[in-house]
Amino acid sequence: MRDATHLSWKLATVLAGQAQDSLLDTFETERHDHAKAMIDLSMTFGNIIKPTNRVVCGARDLASRALNLSPRVKDYFADMRFKPMPFYAKGVVVAPDTLVAGEQPRKRTSGFMTVKNAVEKSTPVGKQFPQPRVNTAEHTGARLDDVTGTWWTVAAWGNDPARLFTDEERAQLRHMGARFVSFMSETQRPWAEAEYAGSGTLVVGDVDGALKGWFDKHAVGVVFLRPDRFVGATCLAQESGRALAALRTAMSATAVPAVQLAEVAA
């Protein structure tokens, strides 16, 4: 399903004229390592499940019973937390600190104080974004995906992302089909809805602190979410334009038609 979702949004992007055909080359670049890891895991479990030697089977069953005595270990296997999680080091990604397009390291090594003080030193880019329950003016307790839509999302914590871009950059985002989203604590959501009225930004209330925790942990202010809901880029608010330019380079984005540029400027 991840392969299908991954390929679908890239095919749709190319067919819509939002990116060049070279975007499709990133499918194997991004998906190969995780697909191989899942196959290797399946083969390993197959070797554990299907031995024919009775001694080996007995040892396996005894080990399983012993492990099940620990609730923590039992939950680990029941929740399938042993599965390798996908991570895209190359492809439609932007390094969070250097804003280099197309590739990134697993660890952030920037000397900026925000990064040095970040709780999580691994990069948030190339990983799945969390899906907590949220509130909006029209939804209560909905999944984040259900309120943000199915395409590109540019989200900021405690800020209106529409204000962080120039007219030309907003035209580029419109050409990509992106939606502006502002994450706020639930208590501040009514204020933000009134403050950002007219900008086209969707205000999302963080009900349980999961979204604020994500931004605090990674020490970023803005996140670009791909249609498959992997993080394509993150940055501080003042670097939003640079991050967008790098992301468009990574995805081989096509030029914005002059008509759309004129509509945004008007």
Side-chain angles (χ1 to χ4, degrees), residues 181-202:
V181 175
S182 175
F183 295 138
M184 287 277 176
S185 65
E186 176 59 16
T187 56
Q188 291 181 303
R189 179 172 61 83
W191 166 84
E193 288 170 346
E195 179 71 14
Y196 303 158
S199 70
T201 296
L202 172 69

PDB file of all heavy atoms in Angstrom, residues 181-202:
ATOM      1  N   VAL A 181      -1.840  25.511   6.432  1.00  0.00           N
ATOM      2  CA  VAL A 181      -2.444  25.063   7.684  1.00  0.00           C
ATOM      3  C   VAL A 181      -1.664  25.673   8.842  1.00  0.00           C
ATOM      4  O   VAL A 181      -0.430  25.682   8.841  1.00  0.00           O
ATOM      5  CB  VAL A 181      -2.434  23.527   7.806  1.00  0.00           C
ATOM      6  CG1 VAL A 181      -2.954  23.082   9.172  1.00  0.00           C
ATOM      7  CG2 VAL A 181      -3.269  22.905   6.693  1.00  0.00           C
ATOM      8  N   SER A 182      -2.395  26.188   9.823  1.00  0.00           N
ATOM      9  CA  SER A 182      -1.777  26.715  11.036  1.00  0.00           C
ATOM     10  C   SER A 182      -2.151  25.817  12.204  1.00  0.00           C
ATOM     11  O   SER A 182      -3.341  25.622  12.488  1.00  0.00           O
ATOM     12  CB  SER A 182      -2.251  28.147  11.297  1.00  0.00           C
ATOM     13  OG  SER A 182      -1.743  28.616  12.533  1.00  0.00           O
ATOM     14  N   PHE A 183      -1.141  25.258  12.872  1.00  0.00           N
ATOM     15  CA  PHE A 183      -1.374  24.456  14.066  1.00  0.00           C
ATOM     16  C   PHE A 183      -1.340  25.368  15.293  1.00  0.00           C
ATOM     17  O   PHE A 183      -0.410  26.158  15.458  1.00  0.00           O
ATOM     18  CB  PHE A 183      -0.308  23.370  14.213  1.00  0.00           C
ATOM     19  CG  PHE A 183      -0.342  22.334  13.126  1.00  0.00           C
ATOM     20  CD1 PHE A 183       0.843  21.867  12.565  1.00  0.00           C
ATOM     21  CD2 PHE A 183      -1.541  21.816  12.668  1.00  0.00           C
ATOM     22  CE1 PHE A 183       0.819  20.906  11.570  1.00  0.00           C
ATOM     23  CE2 PHE A 183      -1.567  20.852  11.676  1.00  0.00           C
ATOM     24  CZ  PHE A 183      -0.389  20.400  11.118  1.00  0.00           C
ATOM     25  N   MET A 184      -2.346  25.236  16.129  1.00  0.00           N
ATOM     26  CA  MET A 184      -2.456  26.042  17.338  1.00  0.00           C
ATOM     27  C   MET A 184      -2.889  25.152  18.499  1.00  0.00           C
ATOM     28  O   MET A 184      -3.510  24.113  18.287  1.00  0.00           O
ATOM     29  CB  MET A 184      -3.522  27.134  17.165  1.00  0.00           C
ATOM     30  CG  MET A 184      -3.136  28.265  16.265  1.00  0.00           C
ATOM     31  SD  MET A 184      -2.155  29.475  17.176  1.00  0.00           S
ATOM     32  CE  MET A 184      -1.756  30.626  15.858  1.00  0.00           C
ATOM     33  N   SER A 185      -2.592  25.587  19.725  1.00  0.00           N
ATOM     34  CA  SER A 185      -3.205  24.911  20.860  1.00  0.00           C
ATOM     35  C   SER A 185      -4.707  25.133  20.757  1.00  0.00           C
ATOM     36  O   SER A 185      -5.168  26.158  20.237  1.00  0.00           O
ATOM     37  CB  SER A 185      -2.667  25.469  22.176  1.00  0.00           C
ATOM     38  OG  SER A 185      -3.052  26.823  22.327  1.00  0.00           O
ATOM     39  N   GLU A 186      -5.477  24.173  21.230  1.00  0.00           N
ATOM     40  CA  GLU A 186      -6.934  24.254  21.081  1.00  0.00           C
ATOM     41  C   GLU A 186      -7.493  25.516  21.723  1.00  0.00           C
ATOM     42  O   GLU A 186      -8.467  26.105  21.210  1.00  0.00           O
ATOM     43  CB  GLU A 186      -7.567  23.005  21.680  1.00  0.00           C
ATOM     44  CG  GLU A 186      -9.089  22.987  21.674  1.00  0.00           C
ATOM     45  CD  GLU A 186      -9.702  23.105  20.284  1.00  0.00           C
ATOM     46  OE1 GLU A 186      -8.978  22.895  19.274  1.00  0.00           O
ATOM     47  OE2 GLU A 186     -10.899  23.435  20.199  1.00  0.00           O
ATOM     48  N   THR A 187      -6.911  25.984  22.801  1.00  0.00           N
ATOM     49  CA  THR A 187      -7.419  27.180  23.472  1.00  0.00           C
ATOM     50  C   THR A 187      -7.227  28.441  22.638  1.00  0.00           C
ATOM     51  O   THR A 187      -7.961  29.423  22.800  1.00  0.00           O
ATOM     52  CB  THR A 187      -6.724  27.371  24.832  1.00  0.00           C
ATOM     53  OG1 THR A 187      -5.305  27.419  24.631  1.00  0.00           O
ATOM     54  CG2 THR A 187      -7.061  26.228  25.778  1.00  0.00           C
ATOM     55  N   GLN A 188      -6.239  28.444  21.725  1.00  0.00           N
ATOM     56  CA  GLN A 188      -5.963  29.614  20.895  1.00  0.00           C
ATOM     57  C   GLN A 188      -6.629  29.532  19.523  1.00  0.00           C
ATOM     58  O   GLN A 188      -6.561  30.485  18.752  1.00  0.00           O
ATOM     59  CB  GLN A 188      -4.452  29.774  20.711  1.00  0.00           C
ATOM     60  CG  GLN A 188      -3.701  30.166  21.970  1.00  0.00           C
ATOM     61  CD  GLN A 188      -2.216  30.321  21.710  1.00  0.00           C
ATOM     62  OE1 GLN A 188      -1.556  29.394  21.242  1.00  0.00           O
ATOM     63  NE2 GLN A 188      -1.691  31.490  21.999  1.00  0.00           N
ATOM     64  N   ARG A 189      -7.237  28.398  19.220  1.00  0.00           N
ATOM     65  CA  ARG A 189      -7.803  28.213  17.877  1.00  0.00           C
ATOM     66  C   ARG A 189      -8.850  29.279  17.516  1.00  0.00           C
ATOM     67  O   ARG A 189      -8.771  29.849  16.411  1.00  0.00           O
ATOM     68  CB  ARG A 189      -8.376  26.806  17.737  1.00  0.00           C
ATOM     69  CG  ARG A 189      -9.022  26.539  16.374  1.00  0.00           C
ATOM     70  CD  ARG A 189      -9.411  25.081  16.212  1.00  0.00           C
ATOM     71  NE  ARG A 189     -10.378  24.664  17.213  1.00  0.00           N
ATOM     72  CZ  ARG A 189     -11.699  24.863  17.113  1.00  0.00           C
ATOM     73  NH1 ARG A 189     -12.194  25.480  16.057  1.00  0.00           N
ATOM     74  NH2 ARG A 189     -12.514  24.434  18.060  1.00  0.00           N
ATOM     75  N   PRO A 190      -9.817  29.608  18.380  1.00  0.00           N
ATOM     76  CA  PRO A 190     -10.800  30.633  17.997  1.00  0.00           C
ATOM     77  C   PRO A 190     -10.153  31.976  17.665  1.00  0.00           C
ATOM     78  O   PRO A 190     -10.568  32.665  16.719  1.00  0.00           O
ATOM     79  CB  PRO A 190     -11.701  30.731  19.238  1.00  0.00           C
ATOM     80  CG  PRO A 190     -11.576  29.387  19.889  1.00  0.00           C
ATOM     81  CD  PRO A 190     -10.140  29.001  19.679  1.00  0.00           C
ATOM     82  N   TRP A 191      -9.138  32.354  18.450  1.00  0.00           N
ATOM     83  CA  TRP A 191      -8.437  33.621  18.167  1.00  0.00           C
ATOM     84  C   TRP A 191      -7.771  33.568  16.797  1.00  0.00           C
ATOM     85  O   TRP A 191      -7.866  34.512  16.002  1.00  0.00           O
ATOM     86  CB  TRP A 191      -7.385  33.875  19.236  1.00  0.00           C
ATOM     87  CG  TRP A 191      -6.419  34.959  18.843  1.00  0.00           C
ATOM     88  CD1 TRP A 191      -6.600  36.304  18.986  1.00  0.00           C
ATOM     89  CD2 TRP A 191      -5.153  34.787  18.191  1.00  0.00           C
ATOM     90  NE1 TRP A 191      -5.516  36.985  18.476  1.00  0.00           N
ATOM     91  CE2 TRP A 191      -4.613  36.083  17.976  1.00  0.00           C
ATOM     92  CE3 TRP A 191      -4.428  33.674  17.773  1.00  0.00           C
ATOM     93  CZ2 TRP A 191      -3.380  36.282  17.361  1.00  0.00           C
ATOM     94  CZ3 TRP A 191      -3.202  33.863  17.155  1.00  0.00           C
ATOM     95  CH2 TRP A 191      -2.685  35.153  16.959  1.00  0.00           C
ATOM     96  N   ALA A 192      -7.087  32.450  16.500  1.00  0.00           N
ATOM     97  CA  ALA A 192      -6.370  32.332  15.232  1.00  0.00           C
ATOM     98  C   ALA A 192      -7.327  32.314  14.045  1.00  0.00           C
ATOM     99  O   ALA A 192      -7.024  32.877  12.981  1.00  0.00           O
ATOM    100  CB  ALA A 192      -5.517  31.065  15.239  1.00  0.00           C
ATOM    101  N   GLU A 193      -8.481  31.687  14.209  1.00  0.00           N
ATOM    102  CA  GLU A 193      -9.456  31.656  13.116  1.00  0.00           C
ATOM    103  C   GLU A 193      -9.906  33.068  12.757  1.00  0.00           C
ATOM    104  O   GLU A 193     -10.095  33.395  11.579  1.00  0.00           O
ATOM    105  CB  GLU A 193     -10.644  30.785  13.508  1.00  0.00           C
ATOM    106  CG  GLU A 193     -10.321  29.295  13.522  1.00  0.00           C
ATOM    107  CD  GLU A 193     -11.424  28.454  14.130  1.00  0.00           C
ATOM    108  OE1 GLU A 193     -12.331  29.034  14.783  1.00  0.00           O
ATOM    109  OE2 GLU A 193     -11.389  27.227  13.956  1.00  0.00           O
ATOM    110  N   ALA A 194     -10.060  33.918  13.756  1.00  0.00           N
ATOM    111  CA  ALA A 194     -10.440  35.307  13.487  1.00  0.00           C
ATOM    112  C   ALA A 194      -9.271  36.109  12.930  1.00  0.00           C
ATOM    113  O   ALA A 194      -9.423  36.902  11.999  1.00  0.00           O
ATOM    114  CB  ALA A 194     -10.959  35.957  14.774  1.00  0.00           C
ATOM    115  N   GLU A 195      -8.072  35.862  13.475  1.00  0.00           N
ATOM    116  CA  GLU A 195      -6.880  36.609  13.057  1.00  0.00           C
ATOM    117  C   GLU A 195      -6.479  36.281  11.625  1.00  0.00           C
ATOM    118  O   GLU A 195      -6.045  37.166  10.875  1.00  0.00           O
ATOM    119  CB  GLU A 195      -5.723  36.276  14.014  1.00  0.00           C
ATOM    120  CG  GLU A 195      -4.414  36.964  13.688  1.00  0.00           C
ATOM    121  CD  GLU A 195      -4.433  38.460  13.965  1.00  0.00           C
ATOM    122  OE1 GLU A 195      -5.356  38.936  14.659  1.00  0.00           O
ATOM    123  OE2 GLU A 195      -3.527  39.153  13.477  1.00  0.00           O
ATOM    124  N   TYR A 196      -6.598  35.013  11.228  1.00  0.00           N
ATOM    125  CA  TYR A 196      -6.142  34.590   9.902  1.00  0.00           C
ATOM    126  C   TYR A 196      -7.271  34.536   8.884  1.00  0.00           C
ATOM    127  O   TYR A 196      -7.089  34.034   7.773  1.00  0.00           O
ATOM    128  CB  TYR A 196      -5.482  33.214   9.988  1.00  0.00           C
ATOM    129  CG  TYR A 196      -4.310  33.151  10.953  1.00  0.00           C
ATOM    130  CD1 TYR A 196      -3.900  31.930  11.498  1.00  0.00           C
ATOM    131  CD2 TYR A 196      -3.606  34.289  11.325  1.00  0.00           C
ATOM    132  CE1 TYR A 196      -2.829  31.860  12.380  1.00  0.00           C
ATOM    133  CE2 TYR A 196      -2.550  34.236  12.211  1.00  0.00           C
ATOM    134  CZ  TYR A 196      -2.173  33.016  12.734  1.00  0.00           C
ATOM    135  OH  TYR A 196      -1.114  32.957  13.613  1.00  0.00           O
ATOM    136  N   ALA A 197      -8.433  35.046   9.247  1.00  0.00           N
ATOM    137  CA  ALA A 197      -9.571  35.033   8.330  1.00  0.00           C
ATOM    138  C   ALA A 197      -9.215  35.785   7.047  1.00  0.00           C
ATOM    139  O   ALA A 197      -8.652  36.878   7.084  1.00  0.00           O
ATOM    140  CB  ALA A 197     -10.793  35.673   8.995  1.00  0.00           C
ATOM    141  N   GLY A 198      -9.543  35.191   5.914  1.00  0.00           N
ATOM    142  CA  GLY A 198      -9.259  35.822   4.632  1.00  0.00           C
ATOM    143  C   GLY A 198      -7.966  35.375   3.987  1.00  0.00           C
ATOM    144  O   GLY A 198      -7.740  35.643   2.807  1.00  0.00           O
ATOM    145  N   SER A 199      -7.085  34.714   4.737  1.00  0.00           N
ATOM    146  CA  SER A 199      -5.810  34.283   4.157  1.00  0.00           C
ATOM    147  C   SER A 199      -5.912  32.914   3.491  1.00  0.00           C
ATOM    148  O   SER A 199      -4.997  32.490   2.798  1.00  0.00           O
ATOM    149  CB  SER A 199      -4.731  34.221   5.243  1.00  0.00           C
ATOM    150  OG  SER A 199      -4.971  33.154   6.152  1.00  0.00           O
ATOM    151  N   GLY A 200      -7.036  32.221   3.726  1.00  0.00           N
ATOM    152  CA  GLY A 200      -7.193  30.885   3.159  1.00  0.00           C
ATOM    153  C   GLY A 200      -6.523  29.802   3.969  1.00  0.00           C
ATOM    154  O   GLY A 200      -6.466  28.648   3.549  1.00  0.00           O
ATOM    155  N   THR A 201      -6.017  30.164   5.138  1.00  0.00           N
ATOM    156  CA  THR A 201      -5.315  29.200   5.993  1.00  0.00           C
ATOM    157  C   THR A 201      -6.303  28.451   6.884  1.00  0.00           C
ATOM    158  O   THR A 201      -7.160  29.064   7.512  1.00  0.00           O
ATOM    159  CB  THR A 201      -4.275  29.917   6.869  1.00  0.00           C
ATOM    160  OG1 THR A 201      -3.274  30.502   6.026  1.00  0.00           O
ATOM    161  CG2 THR A 201      -3.612  28.956   7.843  1.00  0.00           C
ATOM    162  N   LEU A 202      -6.145  27.132   6.935  1.00  0.00           N
ATOM    163  CA  LEU A 202      -6.952  26.307   7.824  1.00  0.00           C
ATOM    164  C   LEU A 202      -6.303  26.282   9.199  1.00  0.00           C
ATOM    165  O   LEU A 202      -5.115  25.962   9.324  1.00  0.00           O
ATOM    166  CB  LEU A 202      -7.045  24.879   7.279  1.00  0.00           C
ATOM    167  CG  LEU A 202      -7.704  23.843   8.198  1.00  0.00           C
ATOM    168  CD1 LEU A 202      -9.197  24.133   8.342  1.00  0.00           C
ATOM    169  CD2 LEU A 202      -7.465  22.431   7.673  1.00  0.00           C
TER     170      LEU A 202
END
